[in-house]
Amino acid sequence: MHALPPSASPARIRIATVPHADPYVDAVLPASAVRVGPRHDRSPWLDPAYLTAHAGRVDVVHVHAGYGHLPEDEVVSWTEAVRRTGVPLVVTVHQLRDPAQPGRHRHDAHLAALLATAEVVFTLTPGAADEIAERFGRTAIVVAHPSVAVPDPDTGAERGLVGLSLGTPVTAVPDPAAMVRAALSGAVSGGGRLRVFLEPGQELPGATELTRAEGLEVVTRDPARWAAQLQELHVAVLPERCGTHSRDLEVCRDVGTRVVAPSCGWFADQWSDVVVYGNDEVCGFDPVSLGVAVGAALARPMPRPADRAWRCEQRAAVQAVHEQVYDQVVADRVVGV
């Protein structure tokens, strides 16, 4: 990329983000950027005809997620439209394996098309960057996952309380009853108890066996209070058997809850202070290792909530990197015209 003189930096760069808004997108967007709508659950900017018709309204398109529902050929067609319009594309790779998909073929095809077209690629951990380089031949800029939650001073954590959410995506937990049993065993052995979070209308797996189990309670996960529900825990178990990074892990870091993370993906790269158990698509779920990991996590003191000053500095640094990249790709587009 060409060097950009400070005086040439546009005052306000128009960004179409996909999705339009979510906690991560909101956290990394620099103040100098103007986010261009419309705000829809499924972004119209992923429609080749819409992008072509409205390309003059934006300076950069930044894709984070929200394309998993599209057939592979539609993503390819969209990237062809990106190249025709000349709008710079920036991609952040949050997931190298989409947990919402039963297999990895579609997501791999999506990433291959997006990363072949992107001017700049971001990701969240060094391990993910290495995997992107190996699998897709692209160098990714590693940016930390910024803070997305603030501890509630009126919410206290219960020592010994372990939490396990069995919500979506369901493909992440092929045997949820076995996971509940293993997490419960580790919690009780460590002198604690297990709280299982279910989505509204969802039933506890293996209910006839587990309903009356000692040390087990079931509550409904409340999206509006999810950070506070995580803050109430001593330990939170991430149930994923596939995936790359976790927002819940960052919430736990923010509010001071220890994390037991699966061996798949780059969760331990995302936060080194996690306890790992065996759960991935190659070796499967190891219930013994989960019980041991929960017990080990309970034996450790509760982590303190992340230092807010450090988190604010980290977020400012991440926003500055995004601002520099946006300025640069826009300048490169002007030079190339």
Side-chain angles (χ1 to χ4, degrees):
M1 293 191 294
H2 302 282
L4 177 66
S7 60
S9 177
R12 303 283 279 174
I13 291 182
R14 302 166 299 170
I15 310 291
T17 60
V18 183
H20 179 75
D22 84 343
Y24 182 90
V25 173
D26 297 346
V28 303
L29 200 67
S32 61
V34 177
R35 189 160 19 186
V36 179
R39 178 173 187 156
H40 297 316
D41 288 340
R42 292 192 172 182
S43 175
W45 288 103
L46 292 177
D47 177 358
Y50 186 93
L51 173 67
T52 301
H54 297 87
R57 294 180 55 202
V58 294
D59 301 305
V60 179
V61 174
H62 190 157
V63 173
H64 293 265
Y67 49 84
H69 64 286
L70 294 173
E72 298 157 29
D73 59 342
E74 290 190 18
V75 175
V76 172
S77 296
W78 182 77
T79 57
E80 291 171 350
V82 170
R83 289 193 289 271
R84 285 196 304 270
T85 61
V87 176
L89 173 65
V90 176
V91 174
T92 296
V93 180
H94 294 267
Q95 299 291 355
L96 280 156
R97 166 70 170 92
D98 184 356
Q101 298 292 332
R104 62 185 312 146
H105 177 79
R106 173 184 283 193
H107 192 61
D108 283 354
H110 287 170
L111 287 178
L114 290 169
L115 300 189
T117 307
E119 298 287 336
V120 175
V121 178
F122 287 113
T123 194
L124 310 183
T125 57
D130 291 343
E131 188 175 342
I132 290 167
E134 180 179 350
R135 291 175 53 198
F136 300 101
R138 291 301 307 266
T139 299
I141 299 172
V142 178
V143 289
H145 193 306
S147 175
V148 289
V150 177
D152 180 356
D154 297 324
T155 299
E158 178 184 330
R159 180 169 292 280
L161 180 58
V162 179
L164 170 64
S165 175
L166 293 179
T168 54
V170 294
T171 55
V173 190
D175 191 351
M179 181 159 285
V180 172
R181 287 193 297 269
L184 177 61
S185 174
V188 173
S189 297
R193 62 193 184 94
L194 177 66
R195 176 177 291 171
V196 176
F197 296 96
L198 300 179
E199 300 299 311
Q202 187 180 15
E203 295 184 358
L204 180 69
T208 54
E209 170 195 353
L210 293 170
T211 300
R212 293 184 294 275
E214 183 178 352
L216 174 67
E217 69 170 339
V218 177
V219 302
T220 300
R221 191 181 82 89
D222 182 355
R225 293 192 62 255
W226 184 230
Q229 287 182 314
L230 288 173
Q231 187 176 337
E232 293 168 350
L233 308 174
H234 183 166
V235 173
V237 176
L238 303 183
E240 289 89 341
R241 72 183 175 105
C242 60
T244 309
H245 304 114
S246 168
R247 181 174 298 160
D248 282 354
L249 183 150
E250 294 297 334
V251 174
C252 288
R253 190 209 298 249
D254 282 329
V255 302
T257 298
R258 190 163 298 284
V259 172
V260 170
S263 53
C264 62
W266 299 103
F267 302 108
D269 225 16
Q270 191 175 341
W271 185 20
S272 60
D273 195 23
V274 302
V275 182
V276 177
Y277 72 99
N279 193 15
D280 58 55
E281 292 183 286
V282 176
C283 299
F285 169 51
D286 180 358
V288 174
S289 73
L290 176 56
V292 171
V294 169
L298 288 175
R300 298 186 186 182
M302 295 185 191
R304 294 179 61 84
D307 180 78
R308 296 313 305 168
W310 168 69
R311 278 300 230 176
C312 288
E313 292 173 359
Q314 182 188 57
R315 178 173 178 172
V318 171
Q319 290 176 343
V321 172
H322 281 72
E323 182 176 47
Q324 181 181 11
V325 164
Y326 294 155
D327 286 349
Q328 191 67 71
V329 296
V330 170
D332 284 350
R333 182 187 186 189
V334 172
V335 171
V337 172

